């Protein structure tokens, strides 16, 4: 249910058949889906069996940076959504005030339980959060994701595989007076997460089939997925979350210097990131919504010549090779059912 809500918030639709309607009356689309999601949420609410789970205390600091987009988002949320959100947070480089040209906008919201019980309130909340994604694309037009979304009810059985609670230590609250101190209980039966395995397999499959990026948007999406692998790998290996910045050193000890070199090479591309847009691209890529993000993926600027010279087939194959080694090394490999393995790309 949460994943459907997250997709609605970020894309503005759940099905392509709603594209035309969303361009005429986006609020109606949100109202229609909110009714279904609210009813679905009511059906899945069940008393939690067994004894109370151990609680983990979380304490999140207040965002005190000067990122213009983060400040605009903070103002928007406080004026329009403070009654509907348990908390709102920035994480990643914006939270730690370490932004570089490559940085995207990482943000998480926790939606109040009472919002899910009221379809009208849910529709309004989801629509406003969708509107707020414009601040993310204003900051990074190449952004390939929107909000991370959690439900207040999930704090009682926290989905550690989705957003490791350890990351709150590096996050900052966009609300000064709410959602800063709370407790959560980890889901005792989270199941084996396939996120790392699926992401690594997808990278391997694409690169082995020479499906190389054709523009700067596609390139950033690939590089970002590749640089996420160390954090997911370490999380599986150590059974706890790790801040992405520290995951590279933590993961590299399991691989030879020669094999890991490609991760350092990709990181250097991040450090030297640049591109240019024309006025049409600039307008298009700052707009939220499914159709604009799809157009951004196709009509984004070309990869600059100096970067393109580095991105040879050999470069991409080295990326695929390390992804394959990380997948093979992961302790998760032996815990995935044969059924799931059969569904994953080679």
């Amino acid at each position: 249910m949460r994943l459907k809500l997250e997709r609605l918030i970020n894309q503005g639709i759940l099905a392509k058949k709603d594209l035309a309607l969303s361009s005429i009356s986006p609020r109606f689309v949100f109202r229609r889906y909110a009714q279904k999601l609210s009813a679905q949420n009511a059906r899945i609410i069940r008393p939690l069996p067994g004894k109370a789970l151990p609680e983990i205390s979380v304490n999140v600091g207040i965002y005190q940076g000067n990122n213009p987009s983060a400040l605009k988002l903070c103002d928007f949320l406080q004026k329009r959504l403070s009654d509907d959100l348990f908390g709102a947070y920035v994480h990643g480089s914006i939270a730690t005030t370490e932004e570089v040209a490559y940085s995207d906008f990482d943000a998480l919201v926790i939606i109040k339980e009472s919002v899910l019980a009221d379809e009208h309130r849910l529709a309004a909340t989801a629509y406003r959060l969708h509107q707020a994604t414009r601040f993310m694309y204003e900051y990074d037009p190449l952004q390939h994701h929107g909000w991370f979304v959690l439900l207040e009810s999930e704090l009682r059985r926290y989905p550690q595989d989705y957003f490791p609670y350890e990351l709150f230590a590096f996050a900052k609250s966009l609300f000064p007076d709410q959602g800063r101190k709370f407790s959560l209980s980890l889901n005792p039966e989270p199941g084996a997460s396939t996120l790392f395995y699926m992401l690594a397999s997808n990278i391997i499959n694409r690169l082995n089939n020479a499906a190389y990026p054709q523009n700067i948007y596609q390139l950033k999406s690939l590089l970002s997925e590749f640089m996420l692998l160390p954090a997911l790998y370490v999380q599986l290996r150590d059974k706890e979350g790790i801040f992405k910045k520290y995951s590279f050193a933590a993961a590299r000890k399991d691989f030879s210097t020669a094999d890991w070199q490609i991760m350092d090479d990709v990181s250097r591309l991040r450090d030297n990131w640049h591109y240019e847009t024309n006025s049409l691209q600039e307008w298009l890529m700052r707009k939220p919504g499914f159709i604009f993000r799809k157009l951004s993926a196709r009509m984004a600027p070309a990869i600059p010549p100096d970067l393109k010279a580095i991105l040879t087939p050999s470069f991409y194959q080295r990326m695929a090779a390390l992804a394959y080694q990380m997948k093979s090394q992961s302790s998760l490999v032996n815990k995935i059912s044969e059924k799931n393995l059969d569904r994953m790309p080679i």
Side-chain angles (χ1 to χ4, degrees):
M1 184 269 176
R2 166 174 48 84
L3 296 180
K4 289 182 180 178
L5 178 58
E6 180 180 87
R7 197 161 86 244
L8 176 62
I9 288 171
N10 290 324
Q11 297 186 356
I13 60 171
L14 284 181
K16 290 184 180 180
K17 65 181 180 181
D18 295 311
L19 273 176
L21 182 58
S22 67
S23 64
I24 299 171
S25 178
R27 288 178 180 270
F28 180 80
V29 175
F30 279 85
R31 287 196 297 269
R32 184 157 68 89
Y33 281 121
Q35 183 180 28
K36 296 178 180 179
L37 292 174
S38 183
Q40 180 181 347
N41 183 68
R43 288 196 302 271
I44 64 175
I45 292 177
R46 299 284 188 277
L48 297 178
K51 298 180 180 179
L53 302 172
E55 291 189 345
I56 297 170
S57 297
V58 174
N59 190 348
V60 185
I62 300 173
Y63 178 71
Q64 296 180 324
N66 57 9
N67 183 292
S69 296
L71 295 175
K72 290 178 186 177
L73 178 60
C74 183
D75 183 64
F76 180 94
L77 296 176
Q78 291 189 39
K79 288 180 178 178
R80 303 194 186 190
L81 284 160
S82 61
D83 292 336
D84 304 302
L85 301 180
F86 175 89
Y89 316 89
V90 288
H91 54 102
S93 57
I94 291 180
T96 57
T97 64
E98 297 174 295
E99 300 99 314
V100 295
Y102 188 91
S103 296
D104 57 9
F105 200 116
D106 295 316
L108 165 76
V109 287
I110 303 177
I111 299 176
K112 286 184 177 179
E113 204 162 347
S114 56
V115 171
L116 275 294
D118 183 335
E119 64 182 72
H120 301 291
R121 192 175 170 194
L122 176 58
T125 299
Y127 180 67
R128 288 168 185 159
L129 286 171
H130 177 70
Q131 288 182 306
T133 59
R134 71 178 185 265
F135 300 113
M136 302 178 186
Y137 303 127
E138 173 188 272
Y139 176 72
D140 178 24
L142 301 180
Q143 178 133 340
H144 56 280
H145 65 82
W147 289 104
F148 291 80
V149 177
L150 286 171
L151 310 180
E152 183 182 6
S153 59
E154 291 182 297
L155 297 180
R156 298 194 293 272
R157 292 214 167 189
Y158 189 79
Q160 176 74 348
D161 292 341
Y162 175 72
F163 188 88
Y165 78 86
E166 292 90 348
L167 300 186
F168 281 110
F170 303 94
K172 292 292 183 288
S173 174
L174 295 173
F175 290 138
D177 301 318
Q178 65 192 70
R180 291 190 52 219
K181 294 182 179 181
F182 58 93
S183 297
L184 58 85
S185 298
L186 296 183
N187 188 342
E189 299 176 353
S193 171
T194 60
L195 179 57
F196 167 79
Y197 201 90
M198 291 295 289
L199 185 61
S201 297
N202 185 48
I203 291 172
I204 295 165
N205 188 54
R206 284 154 57 192
L207 296 183
N208 282 347
N209 285 287
Y212 304 145
Q214 299 301 305
N215 59 39
I216 199 71
Y217 184 101
Q218 296 172 15
L219 176 62
K220 184 171 185 182
S221 179
L222 172 65
L223 299 184
S224 295
E225 290 177 358
F226 185 70
M227 288 187 286
L228 182 59
L229 289 178
L232 297 177
Y233 171 83
V234 172
Q235 182 181 344
L236 289 173
R237 185 191 68 190
D238 299 348
K239 309 306 179 188
E240 62 181 31
I242 185 170
F243 190 45
K244 183 179 175 182
K245 175 181 176 180
Y246 303 123
S247 67
F248 298 92
R252 72 184 307 153
K253 63 184 181 182
D254 291 348
F255 305 92
S256 71
T257 300
D259 291 335
W260 191 261
Q261 182 61 47
I262 185 61
M263 189 65 73
D264 293 334
D265 293 343
V266 168
S267 296
R268 274 193 291 274
L269 289 180
R270 175 187 183 276
D271 294 338
N272 297 311
W273 192 249
H274 64 278
Y275 64 95
E276 294 183 2
T277 56
N278 58 40
S279 56
L280 175 60
Q281 291 165 335
E282 190 74 13
W283 175 83
L284 175 70
M285 297 173 68
R286 292 178 183 271
K287 305 283 282 185
F290 177 84
I291 188 65
F292 288 106
R293 301 325 297 165
K294 286 295 183 181
L295 288 173
S296 295
R298 294 186 178 186
M299 299 175 61
I303 301 171
D306 59 323
L307 297 182
K308 198 167 186 177
I310 298 171
L311 299 167
T312 63
S314 174
F315 187 96
Y316 289 125
Q317 288 307 306
R318 288 166 58 215
M319 290 177 64
L322 180 58
Y324 181 82
Q325 288 185 328
M326 295 179 76
K327 186 180 75 168
S328 300
Q329 184 75 11
S330 170
S331 61
L332 179 63
V333 173
N334 294 326
K335 297 180 181 179
I336 298 179
S337 68
E338 291 296 328
K339 183 177 180 181
N340 285 337
L341 280 173
D342 290 340
R343 295 178 179 176
M344 294 180 181
I346 300 301

